[in-house]
Amino acid sequence: RLLKMEEFFPESFRLDLKDERNAFFELCKEEQIWICKPSCSNQGRGIFLLKNPAAVNTLQAKLHSTEENLLNKRVPYKAPQARIVQRYIHQPLLLEGKKFDVRSYLLIACTAPYVLFFAPGYVRLTCVNYDAASDDLTVHLTNQYVQKKNSLYSQLKDETVWRMEHFNSYVNEKFRKTNGLPKDWVFTVFTKRMQQIMLQCFLAAKHKLDRKLGYFDLIGCDFLIDENFKVWLLEMNANPALHTNCKVLRDIIPTVVYESL
């Protein structure tokens, strides 16, 4: 069964497309949080939050100014980097009070014919407790590159990454009874949902792939679980980080690379 976009992907708009940009600015009138991020980037570069109408108005004015400048120039120009705005999920499930997401992997092992593999990855947590109102990006973004900017990272770095087995045990112990979850929800319901979403995204994009014998790619897929245990796809990364800067990653990343090759 194909899922509807709104079942797994937060409402999003492309700011480089005029119709979508206008639709976003028309929609975004009241107090709500949006996350703005560049496409084709990684490590949290260029990401910021839009937390109120004033911030949205500032962004709108900046984009309008850029557009005016481009119209007035009669020389070839390099288009600004495309960005999306995505509705921020402000009630995420928390682990020990901290926000987290899950990085798993899709290996497109072959494109002629198509051969796909799934690999479970790891859980990425923030250093500090979650507070939706905080202006500190390390509260909102879980990737290691951003977490390194938190002063607590050096002493907590091994606590910011969990194995999936640890995550599964935690969910069994803390949430299974109160939320009516099946045993091992992480390795059953959640894993199947990740696979379903990855497959659907692949089917949507496969016609854009270069097809040639020997071509393959490892895609890092980031998922967030909200407090109702709904699974959201945040993004898919064509160049996933393969750093091994903490104990769990030193075990997981070399295995993912070895098995991919």
Side-chain angles (χ1 to χ4, degrees):
R1 179 177 85 85
L2 288 180
L3 301 168
K4 292 180 180 175
M5 284 273 285
E6 58 266 25
E7 288 184 69
F8 69 89
F9 193 61
E11 187 176 15
S12 301
F13 297 88
R14 280 179 58 177
L15 294 179
D16 58 317
L17 299 179
K18 191 171 184 179
D19 287 351
E20 290 205 20
R21 187 167 68 237
N22 291 343
F24 168 67
F25 289 125
E26 192 59 38
L27 172 72
C28 194
K29 301 293 186 190
E30 71 262 26
E31 294 278 339
Q32 48 189 288
I33 307 177
W34 294 80
I35 186 164
C36 185
K37 47 190 175 182
S39 61
C40 303
S41 187
N42 58 9
Q43 297 184 328
R45 290 190 189 94
I47 293 180
F48 57 88
L49 297 183
L50 298 166
K51 301 181 74 174
N52 51 56
V56 173
N57 291 339
T58 301
L59 175 65
Q60 187 173 18
K62 186 178 177 184
L63 291 174
H64 183 70
S65 171
T66 304
E67 199 170 44
E68 290 281 301
N69 288 340
L70 294 176
L71 287 172
N72 293 333
K73 285 182 181 175
R74 294 186 180 176
V75 291
Y77 68 91
K78 186 181 176 188
Q81 187 173 24
R83 286 184 161 273
I84 69 160
V85 282
Q86 188 176 73
R87 189 180 286 280
Y88 185 81
I89 297 163
H90 66 278
Q91 293 178 310
L93 185 68
L94 302 177
L95 303 179
E96 307 287 3
K98 297 177 174 65
K99 187 177 179 182
F100 74 96
D101 65 13
V102 174
R103 161 63 58 87
S104 287
Y105 297 97
L106 169 67
L107 174 65
I108 304 171
C110 184
T111 56
Y114 291 119
V115 181
L116 308 181
F117 292 97
F118 166 84
Y122 53 92
V123 178
R124 311 183 298 186
L125 297 87
T126 58
C127 291
V128 292
N129 283 6
Y130 178 67
D131 172 11
S134 174
D135 291 326
D136 180 359
L137 267 185
T138 68
V139 171
H140 300 280
L141 302 181
T142 62
N143 72 58
Q144 291 280 295
Y145 187 81
V146 172
Q147 288 305 308
K148 281 180 185 176
K149 296 176 181 178
N150 190 294
S151 58
L152 295 171
Y153 179 77
S154 56
Q155 65 192 77
L156 295 176
K157 69 176 183 179
D158 281 321
E159 296 172 32
T160 63
V161 181
W162 286 10
R163 293 176 172 281
M164 295 299 280
E165 291 82 1
H166 182 183
F167 179 39
N168 183 59
S169 299
Y170 187 92
V171 170
N172 278 344
E173 182 186 335
K174 301 283 186 180
F175 300 117
R176 188 183 161 204
K177 285 185 179 176
T178 52
N179 293 80
L181 302 176
K183 187 172 188 296
D184 296 332
W185 178 87
V186 168
F187 290 131
T188 54
V189 177
F190 177 52
T191 296
K192 284 179 182 174
R193 191 63 154 187
M194 286 193 291
Q195 292 171 338
Q196 183 183 21
I197 291 169
M198 285 183 190
L199 178 59
Q200 184 162 327
C201 291
F202 169 78
L203 293 173
K206 70 175 186 178
H207 67 285
K208 295 183 177 183
L209 298 178
D210 289 329
R211 294 189 65 191
K212 189 174 179 181
L213 199 60
Y215 277 24
F216 70 96
D217 207 351
L218 181 68
I219 311 289
C221 306
D222 297 338
F223 295 91
L224 185 139
I225 302 163
D226 69 21
E227 60 182 14
N228 297 316
F229 283 82
K230 183 171 180 176
V231 178
W232 298 93
L233 172 69
L234 296 180
E235 59 186 34
M236 300 179 82
N237 300 274
N239 183 24
L242 299 172
H243 305 300
T244 53
N245 53 324
C246 65
K247 185 177 184 306
V248 171
L249 295 180
R250 283 194 290 275
D251 291 338
I252 291 172
I253 298 297
T255 304
V256 166
V257 172
Y258 179 79
E259 289 188 357
S260 296
L261 295 173

